[in-house]
Amino acid sequence: MPGAAARGARRPAPGTLWAGRAGLCGPREGRAAEASQRTERKAVRGVAPPRARLAGSPGPLHSSAPSLAAPGLRAPRSAGFPWRACPALAAMHGKLLPLAGLYLVQGLPYGLQSGLLPILLRSHGLSLTRVGMAKGLYTPWLFKLAWAPLVDRRGSPRAWLTLSTGALGLACGLLAAVPPAPADHVGLPTTVMGLLLLLNLGAAVQDVALDTVAVQLLEPRELGPGNTVQVVAYKLGAALAGGGLLALFPNLSWPLLFLLLAATYCLAAVLAWTAPALRQLPWPQPSEHTHLLQDLMAVPGTLWTAGFVLTYKLGEQGAASLFPLLLLDRGASAPELGLWNGFGAVACSIVGSALCGALLSRHWQPLALLKSVLWLRLGGLACQTALLFHLDTPGASLGTSTALRGMALVSLCLQHFLGGLVTTATFTVMMHCSQRAPRTLQATHYSLLATLELLGKLLLGTLAGVLADGLGLHPCFTVFLMLSVLPLVDLGMAPSTLA
């Protein structure tokens, strides 16, 4: 029947988001949306002239002739935009879009100082020693716990986020007016060092405030997509500031760079203050917590989560810091390795994070997903170790074997892809644990977990070379394999409160 065919054509596809299949809109909301549209379609069909339908023509909801609809009745506004039929999905989009922009901006300082700033300083004639000493400007990041209680107890997270982002714009504007290295100066001027230190201080405060906003804003079912946005946007921001700007503007000068960053931060501060989703955050209540560490440890699941985030990256970071250098020693070309370990690694990590968010949005439990991905990561690291052992045999070289070189580069990208999956799932667990803390402790609680997570990643990344020189490569990578088993053992002891 033509009418039945038209009704079938108008029925939502099985994967339509508002039907609740993707986990973004509950079954009750999806059924309500469907019932609402069926009622409107019946009303329109009840007044439409039967002769107006031709065989194979669309129904009155989709007809271009306005005379086919009854006076005063309009087609459902959600017909072309399924998310409008699901308030939960629309609300989540309203949260994720500003968070994506703010996390993108949050990644800029890291990329600036790890990739772009050393190149600019070196191009202005500073010695390698002086450029290396600029890493000491990261110090404020190690003391996030010192001001996290202030974000919890004094003012709203939205106000802290807006002020810290605006302060970053002010610092960048001042840096644009100060030359990095005058002709008669052999190092960074004191003024530039002070402004860069303030830039890191503002970025660290912004990090605490933005994480607090995310913890308080996202609902439990939104943690998967929310943490995907966090990780992916942060990595894109770091990649943009770490080299993307130089690629886009080969002759980018110091003043122009910081003027662009200042304008970006000012726009982000306006976004933080005016975004409707962020304006609904409540003002914090006076805190009654006097024994801070004891109160933090009393939050259900904190002790286990702290131990897990401290150890889950040990083996991965140790291998990732050494494997590219060892491939270079065994015949891989520097340009090819730089491409795959730079752009390829970031791209694969972003794809892994996006896939994790998609799986979590389809009702995968973070701990169950972590267990599966950690087993895959362990298998990938075992294959990587076996390949490295083979390259140490006489006659094996990446320079003469296309197959070995391809396997090495695929192994490198695969580990970054799995690392993106693991990181996003772990951040989801961290945020889920911090949401169980009282609102006046959530910023401090999440900062504690994030600091431990950073410490665990830096620990093996820093000591990997020492282990390789002291133990040798084969024992060193065996240790990395054993360390990669630890998070799997930890998952077996995960508390039921985090399931």
Side-chain angles (χ1 to χ4, degrees):
M1 294 174 61
R7 288 192 297 272
R10 293 193 300 271
R11 183 169 298 171
T16 303
L17 287 178
W18 58 263
R21 300 275 179 96
L24 300 177
C25 182
R28 180 178 301 175
E29 294 163 317
R31 288 194 297 270
E34 290 175 351
S36 174
Q37 290 200 358
R38 282 199 301 269
T39 301
E40 295 186 33
R41 287 199 298 266
K42 289 178 181 178
V44 174
R45 286 199 301 270
V47 298
R51 57 184 173 83
R53 288 197 191 172
L54 300 176
S57 66
L61 284 177
H62 300 277
S63 175
S64 59
S67 60
L68 298 183
L73 289 178
R74 292 185 298 176
R77 296 182 62 188
S78 57
F81 303 92
W83 59 83
R84 291 185 180 176
C86 178
L89 182 58
M92 189 182 72
H93 283 177
K95 298 174 184 178
L96 295 186
L97 288 177
L99 287 179
L102 292 169
Y103 273 116
L104 179 72
V105 170
Q106 189 191 55
L108 294 177
Y110 176 78
L112 172 70
Q113 295 185 83
S114 64
L116 183 60
L117 188 60
I119 296 175
L120 289 176
L121 294 178
R122 181 63 175 168
S123 67
H124 281 79
L126 272 71
S127 67
L128 293 176
T129 301
R130 296 279 183 176
V131 173
M133 289 176 62
K135 298 289 185 181
L137 298 171
Y138 286 126
T139 303
W141 289 87
L142 300 178
F143 298 97
K144 291 197 300 181
L145 283 175
W147 48 79
L150 295 177
V151 178
D152 271 328
R153 304 174 185 180
R154 297 287 186 271
S156 69
R158 172 171 157 254
W160 279 99
L161 180 59
T162 303
L163 290 175
S164 59
T165 307
L168 287 171
L170 178 61
C172 288
L174 293 174
L175 281 167
V178 180
D184 57 346
H185 204 284
V186 295
L188 278 175
T190 305
T191 305
V192 174
M193 290 184 63
L195 289 174
L196 287 174
L197 192 64
L198 288 176
L199 185 71
N200 279 279
L201 177 61
V205 174
Q206 185 205 37
D207 178 69
V208 174
L210 184 53
D211 288 341
T212 305
V213 166
V215 169
Q216 296 183 2
L217 193 64
L218 297 175
E219 298 179 10
R221 64 180 176 180
E222 299 169 344
L223 290 181
N227 281 280
T228 301
V229 165
Q230 174 190 8
V231 175
V232 172
Y234 183 90
K235 290 177 179 178
L236 286 175
L240 177 64
L245 290 176
L246 281 180
L248 294 174
F249 307 99
N251 299 319
L252 189 65
S253 64
W254 176 277
L256 180 58
L257 165 67
F258 282 100
L259 284 176
L260 288 173
L261 290 176
T264 302
Y265 281 123
C266 290
L267 291 175
V270 173
L271 173 64
W273 186 253
T274 60
L278 274 59
R279 296 176 69 178
Q280 69 186 21
L281 292 173
W283 197 269
Q285 300 298 320
S287 175
E288 299 178 357
H289 302 281
T290 55
H291 302 88
L292 185 59
L293 184 59
Q294 181 179 349
D295 294 332
L296 290 175
M297 291 294 107
V299 176
T302 298
L303 189 59
W304 179 87
T305 306
F308 180 80
V309 300
L310 187 63
T311 59
Y312 85 110
K313 283 278 189 179
L314 292 178
E316 177 188 329
Q317 286 295 312
S321 61
L322 288 181
F323 190 69
L325 302 179
L326 298 177
L327 294 182
L328 186 65
D329 294 342
R330 284 154 178 77
S333 66
E336 184 180 35
L337 193 59
L339 174 65
W340 287 94
N341 194 44
F343 174 78
V346 172
C348 290
S349 179
I350 289 175
V351 171
S353 297
L355 177 60
C356 181
L359 293 175
L360 290 173
S361 70
R362 293 180 180 272
H363 305 299
W364 275 69
Q365 293 297 324
L367 295 182
L369 180 60
L370 266 175
K371 185 175 182 180
S372 301
V373 178
L374 286 174
W375 276 112
L376 291 175
R377 189 184 69 173
L378 180 62
L381 183 57
C383 293
Q384 195 175 82
T385 303
L387 176 63
L388 187 63
F389 287 3
H390 175 72
L391 289 174
D392 283 341
T393 59
S397 173
L398 292 175
T400 58
S401 174
T402 304
L404 283 178
R405 185 167 64 252
M407 292 172 59
L409 296 178
V410 168
S411 171
L412 188 68
C413 291
L414 177 63
Q415 287 302 96
H416 283 285
F417 169 76
L418 295 174
L421 273 163
V422 172
T423 300
T424 303
T426 301
F427 275 44
T428 303
V429 173
M430 291 164 54
M431 196 166 288
H432 179 54
C433 183
S434 292
Q435 286 184 338
R436 296 180 172 274
R439 186 172 290 273
T440 54
L441 278 178
Q442 286 180 348
T444 308
H445 189 274
Y446 192 82
S447 295
L448 170 65
L449 297 180
T451 302
L452 292 175
E453 196 265 349
L454 177 63
L455 181 61
K457 289 193 294 188
L458 291 177
L459 185 61
L460 256 292
T462 304
L463 298 179
V466 178
L467 291 175
D469 290 337
L471 300 176
L473 291 179
H474 291 195
C476 183
F477 271 77
T478 303
V479 170
F480 295 156
L481 277 174
M482 295 174 62
L483 290 175
S484 296
V485 177
L486 280 179
L488 286 166
V489 176
D490 289 342
L491 282 178
M493 299 182 289
S496 59
T497 55
L498 296 177

